[in-house]
Structure formats: C-alpha cells, structure tokens
C-alpha cells in the first residue's frame, strides 16, 4: 500500500512539473509575441490597444489603430 502511495505521489509531482513547464513556455512565447507586436506598431507610428486577458499565460488581445 505504501509503495502505491509513493508511485501516485511521484506521478502527481511529474504531472505538476510538466504542466508548470508548459505554462511557463506558453507565457514566454506570448510575451515575446507581445513585444514584437508593440515594437512593430511603435516603429510604424501606430496607436495600439493591448489587453492582457490571462496574467498566468500572458494571453492577450492586441489591436493596432491608425493614428
């Protein structure tokens, strides 16, 4: 019984680590995309609206507007 509990705990820990890495990766790439969009809009002199919809994964909406 104790052996099964240890296996379950190890499996749960592995799932938690994998999920954390996936969330961190998604957040990183969304942040890189946001930076690219903002730099592009500023380079073209456009106004933009950026809304972060999920602070954990950096999900966002971005709208460029003509000045």
């Amino acid at each position: 019984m104790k052996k099964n509990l240890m296996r379950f705990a190890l499996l749960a820990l592995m799932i938690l680590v994998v999920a954390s890495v996936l969330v961190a990766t998604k957040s990183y790439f969304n942040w890189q995309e946001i930076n690219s969009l903002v730099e592009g809009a500023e380079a073209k002199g456009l106004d933009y609206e950026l809304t972060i919809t999920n602070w954990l994964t950096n999900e966002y909406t971005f709208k460029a507007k003509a000045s």
Side-chain angles (χ1 to χ4, degrees):
M1 182 70 174
K2 195 169 192 171
K3 194 173 192 178
N4 286 339
L5 185 59
M6 285 297 288
R7 285 183 182 167
F8 176 75
L10 183 59
L11 179 63
L13 181 62
M14 287 174 55
I15 289 171
L16 197 62
V17 167
V18 169
S20 297
V21 168
L22 290 174
V23 168
T25 301
K26 183 169 182 65
S27 177
Y28 172 78
F29 283 111
N30 279 344
W31 185 250
Q32 294 300 315
E33 194 170 278
I34 289 168
N35 284 338
S36 177
L37 289 168
V38 168
E39 287 175 4
E42 288 177 349
K44 293 178 182 177
L46 298 174
D47 291 331
Y48 59 88
E49 180 181 329
L50 173 64
T51 306
I52 305 295
T53 58
N54 184 328
W55 61 269
L56 187 61
T57 60
N58 283 330
E59 291 289 324
Y60 66 93
T61 58
F62 183 87
K63 296 177 186 171
K65 305 173 186 177
S67 309

